[in-house]
Amino acid sequence: MKIKRHASVLALIAAGALALSACGSDQNTNSGGSSPSGTGNSNAAGVKPDCEGVKEAIKASGSSAQANAIARFQVAYQNACSGKKMDYNSNGSGNGVKEFLGKQTDFGGSDSPLSKDKGEVQQATARCDGAPAWNLPAVFGPIAITYNVKGADGLVLDGSVLGKIFSGQITTWNDPAIAALNQGKTLPGDKITVIFRSDESGTTDNFQQYLEASSKGTWTKGKGKVFNGGIGEGAKGNENTSAAIARTPGSITYNEWSFAKQNKLQIAKIVNSGGGEAVELNSASAGKAIEGAKVKGQGNDLELDLKSIYATPTPGAYPLVLAAYEIVCSKYTDQAQGKAVKAFLTAAVTTGQRGLEDNGYIPVPEAFQTKLLTAIGAIA
């Protein structure tokens, strides 16, 4: 299976390959001025993939939200382990989990961890021949609220208004609730067209969890990988929701920041649950929110509790941030397969983190990187 790459990403990766192989230290900085984790982080210094005895080719599938990050990880892996490759199919988190559980892939990519309620944890143990599966958050990506309203750049929204928009309670752009957050802006009376993910999506799950936590009761539709708003037009994957926004005046959706940047879409500012100033999405504001994330998994299962992010009152913290997981077996019966997964993920969370801001991601925070390297090192 081949990763669905975009032309602009290919051009960027081609240039990045030279930088990754030639540079011993990262020259990129995020908007907060600090070096990205995995580059100048002393905890990762000298950590390199062990390429001895790895399977020549492995494959994974799932989250389209992390597809552009995976493209960078592939370059880092190929530079570290010459002649080895990992193919990724960006077909949505739901498919990523299903194909991993069905042994169609070596690991899965998902914007939501394995669900106990749906029996996924138990199925994963069976898939891993009795060994537990681990959720490893290797990619942090803000979810952008993107829209297409001419003359309304920098639109301000909050959880309450978004809950009403995505459940059909607010249907026009000049609604008083939107106008109250955007004083001084001239808003059209055009109908709002909601675009949602038609496939099972971890991005949808995270967005609906955010609405539950921050809407102050205006969102009562629940959460999950299927959009529950009951309105709008569906599009498959971040690629197609982004394309739908670009061609549909009056539309709004939720999609991963890297796709919003790549397609030059209008991005809303969000007033978080603190009720203060609107927060612009950038590396610094998203990083500020990530600092509050807590691990709720046990041992090397690094499932995160993101509820405190969704409803964060912290000034300047952007509240809509998802963690994209690589779902792996803690032990593989095929030793070469396990070694390849371990080598790929080691490259991903070290040199693979370089320049992620260029694609709209936040490099793994140092505290998580240390935990990730410990967990990855324990894969057998």
Side-chain angles (χ1 to χ4, degrees):
M1 291 183 284
K2 305 278 184 165
I3 186 170
K4 299 178 180 177
R5 293 178 178 164
H6 304 277
S8 59
V9 175
L10 283 172
L12 180 60
I13 296 304
L18 293 175
L20 281 169
S21 60
C23 298
S25 61
D26 181 42
Q27 301 300 317
N28 293 311
T29 56
N30 61 24
S31 59
S34 58
S35 295
S37 178
T39 56
N41 180 4
S42 60
N43 293 321
V47 177
K48 296 180 180 180
D50 181 359
C51 305
E52 186 69 27
V54 305
K55 191 174 181 180
E56 182 175 344
I58 55 174
K59 58 186 178 180
S61 66
S63 165
S64 64
Q66 66 171 333
N68 293 335
I70 290 288
R72 283 190 172 275
F73 298 167
Q74 287 171 313
V75 172
Y77 180 49
Q78 289 166 358
N79 284 338
C81 299
S82 180
K84 311 304 180 184
K85 65 178 182 176
M86 194 288 290
D87 289 330
Y88 187 79
N89 185 17
S90 169
N91 59 358
S93 295
N95 287 319
V97 172
K98 289 176 183 176
E99 292 176 2
F100 172 72
L101 295 178
K103 291 192 174 183
Q104 296 170 259
T105 57
D106 301 291
F107 67 92
S110 177
D111 304 333
S112 298
L114 292 171
S115 170
K116 292 182 181 178
D117 295 340
K118 293 182 179 180
E120 292 173 349
V121 172
Q122 297 89 332
Q123 293 175 56
T125 300
R127 178 259 184 268
C128 296
D129 301 305
W134 293 338
N135 302 282
L136 304 181
V139 179
F140 287 91
I143 299 174
I145 301 300
T146 55
Y147 60 97
N148 184 343
V149 180
K150 187 176 181 180
D153 290 343
L155 197 66
V156 176
L157 301 170
D158 63 13
S160 177
V161 167
L162 286 167
K164 290 180 179 180
I165 290 174
F166 282 88
S167 60
Q169 299 172 62
I170 290 178
T171 59
T172 61
W173 283 107
N174 64 351
D175 186 275
I178 299 177
L181 292 171
N182 293 275
Q183 295 182 19
K185 288 187 182 294
T186 300
L187 301 172
D190 298 347
K191 178 184 175 182
I192 297 175
T193 299
V194 167
I195 306 292
F196 62 88
R197 285 283 294 272
S198 60
D199 54 325
E200 287 194 7
S201 161
T203 306
T204 296
D205 187 20
N206 278 268
F207 178 60
Q208 292 183 139
Q209 288 188 55
Y210 159 75
L211 292 178
E212 275 197 338
S214 67
S215 71
K216 300 179 181 178
T218 65
W219 177 262
T220 59
K221 303 287 187 175
K223 56 188 178 182
K225 293 179 181 177
V226 175
F227 179 67
N228 300 319
I231 60 166
E233 302 174 3
K236 185 177 181 180
N238 279 285
E239 301 93 337
N240 289 313
T241 56
S242 299
I245 290 296
R247 66 171 179 262
T248 309
S251 58
I252 186 171
T253 195
Y254 52 92
N255 49 17
E256 205 276 329
W257 189 29
S258 68
F259 289 90
K261 291 180 70 175
Q262 182 178 316
N263 290 279
K264 297 179 171 60
L265 302 176
Q266 291 171 299
I267 300 175
K269 298 177 181 179
I270 305 296
V271 178
N272 68 30
S273 293
E277 295 182 358
V279 180
E280 181 179 354
L281 172 52
N282 55 44
S283 295
S285 63
K288 195 169 187 177
I290 291 171
E291 290 174 359
K294 298 178 180 178
V295 175
K296 67 178 182 180
Q298 300 296 315
N300 287 321
D301 177 25
L302 302 182
E303 178 183 349
L304 300 174
D305 181 358
L306 297 177
K307 290 181 181 179
S308 59
I309 292 181
Y310 300 138
T312 180
T314 303
Y318 183 82
L320 251 172
V321 179
L322 64 78
Y325 295 91
E326 315 313 332
I327 299 173
V328 305
C329 291
S330 57
K331 183 176 182 179
Y332 290 84
T333 52
D334 181 340
Q335 191 175 38
Q337 180 187 32
K339 286 183 176 181
V341 171
K342 181 189 293 190
F344 174 79
L345 292 179
T346 300
V349 304
T350 53
T351 56
Q353 297 292 306
R354 294 174 179 170
L356 281 180
E357 301 97 322
D358 296 339
N359 290 119
Y361 300 98
I362 309 301
V364 173
E366 184 172 338
F368 288 124
Q369 187 188 41
T370 301
K371 292 178 180 179
L372 278 168
L373 287 172
T374 298
I376 292 167
I379 294 173

